[in-house]
Amino acid sequence: MECSAANGLKNPCTVLYRPEQWNVPANLPWGLPLTCLCLNRFSELLVHKPGEGFLLSLLATMLSPPRWTFSKFVESQINKKHRLAKCGMVPKHDFTQQISSCLITTVPEKFYDKVEEGSIILKKSQSFSFCEEGILVDGEPTSTTPLKTDVVILATGFREMKCQWLAELLDGTFKLPSIKEMENDMLEWDEYLKRSPGEHYRRSCIALPIWYNDQLCKDMGWNPKRKKGFFAELFEPYGPLDYVSPSRSN
């Protein structure tokens, strides 16, 4: 968006992507943040998790109709807000498949306005390569003609909670379990990861964020419940600030 604002139509910014994605807006209609629907403990009750036990597994199965309804509602709202059909960007997979792979992405406000005006150009390609003048986009008729480029930004994301866990381990806050316990745990998680959420994704993500971070909190001796009150714990979204080290929050 910054590049398109600076360069305008004269020197448009090109965004390369692989499959079309459900790029979620910051807010749904009525000003409801999407995090209130998919980043709280209630939303994680709708899906199966590794080591969840019989009751949580049964509950996830029973709640499959609301999960499907939620998915279709979110898809319709994203499509409507971003006008994906007009831009040829409607994904071929369900929103639930995408969220189960931890590949939820967002776009800035009015991103697709820039696409429609031509200051941002979308190109679908499985790969690209660098050359002296810029990049070569594979799969295009003009793939032998370089796309002249000044700056390439690799949008690969980042991690934070795992680093905190590693720091606590190296500091001697807790010790690793026995090798046998770790092997059994790895087998359980591996079986979960093999549950592919659909043909467009190779496997499930390591887990939904809160469930996974709960395990890290327990390892470090932290209380995994980071909210105040039953309803806040169940329905308020979780974010990075909820996982501030207890020693730092005092």
Side-chain angles (χ1 to χ4, degrees):
M1 289 292 284
E2 292 178 1
C3 291
S4 65
N7 294 353
L9 295 173
K10 184 177 180 181
N11 296 297
C13 174
T14 300
V15 176
L16 300 181
Y17 68 95
R18 288 180 178 142
E20 292 79 7
Q21 302 284 348
W22 293 108
N23 299 125
V24 298
N27 293 302
L28 292 173
W30 318 293
L32 179 66
L34 186 67
T35 53
C36 289
L37 292 180
C38 63
L39 286 179
N40 57 25
R41 289 192 181 276
F42 178 77
S43 68
E44 293 198 352
L45 293 175
L46 305 179
V47 297
H48 292 284
K49 302 166 285 294
E52 62 190 353
F54 174 75
L55 290 179
L56 287 178
S57 176
L58 178 63
L59 183 61
T61 300
M62 293 174 61
L63 291 176
S64 57
R67 182 172 68 242
W68 181 87
T69 303
F70 160 74
S71 175
K72 295 307 173 186
F73 169 73
V74 173
E75 289 173 19
S76 66
Q77 297 305 313
I78 294 175
N79 200 354
K80 179 181 178 181
K81 182 174 179 62
H82 290 326
R83 305 182 298 280
L84 297 182
K86 187 175 182 180
C87 299
M89 292 293 289
V90 178
K92 297 180 177 62
H93 56 270
D94 295 335
F95 179 76
T96 49
Q97 294 178 8
Q98 187 168 322
I99 197 172
S100 295
S101 296
C102 287
L103 292 176
I104 291 299
T105 58
T106 62
V107 290
E109 192 70 23
K110 298 184 178 180
F111 175 86
Y112 284 98
D113 291 346
K114 296 289 186 179
V115 173
E116 290 183 19
E117 76 177 17
S119 57
I120 293 179
I121 298 174
L122 300 175
K123 285 184 179 290
K124 184 174 183 178
S125 176
Q126 292 300 312
S127 60
F128 67 91
S129 56
F130 291 96
C131 64
E132 186 174 347
E133 295 182 358
I135 63 173
L136 295 170
V137 182
D138 296 341
E140 288 198 339
T142 57
S143 58
T144 57
T145 303
L147 178 63
K148 294 184 179 181
T149 307
D150 297 318
V151 177
V152 176
I153 301 172
L154 303 177
T156 56
F158 61 92
R159 299 285 184 270
E160 45 179 78
M161 189 60 177
K162 295 178 187 177
C163 299
Q164 181 69 46
W165 182 92
L166 180 59
E168 295 287 344
L169 172 65
L170 296 177
D171 199 37
T173 303
F174 64 96
K175 294 183 179 180
L176 295 177
S178 68
I179 293 177
K180 185 62 177 178
E181 288 178 289
M182 289 192 288
E183 288 178 342
N184 290 338
D185 193 56
M186 288 169 59
L187 287 174
E188 186 173 24
W189 282 85
D190 189 57
E191 286 301 314
Y192 172 77
L193 293 172
K194 288 178 181 177
R195 301 177 189 174
S196 174
E199 60 178 315
H200 300 281
Y201 299 102
R202 289 175 293 180
R203 59 198 301 161
S204 298
C205 63
I206 194 166
L208 291 179
I210 302 173
W211 179 263
Y212 179 63
N213 287 336
D214 281 354
Q215 317 307 310
L216 301 185
C217 286
K218 292 175 183 177
D219 285 349
M220 295 185 288
W222 297 5
N223 183 358
K225 304 294 179 61
R226 317 295 288 180
K227 302 290 187 181
K228 295 182 179 180
F230 174 79
F231 288 101
E233 188 64 52
L234 193 60
F235 295 108
E236 284 187 7
Y238 263 78
L241 292 180
D242 292 304
Y243 296 101
V244 173
S245 171
S247 60
R248 294 182 181 179
S249 60
N250 294 331

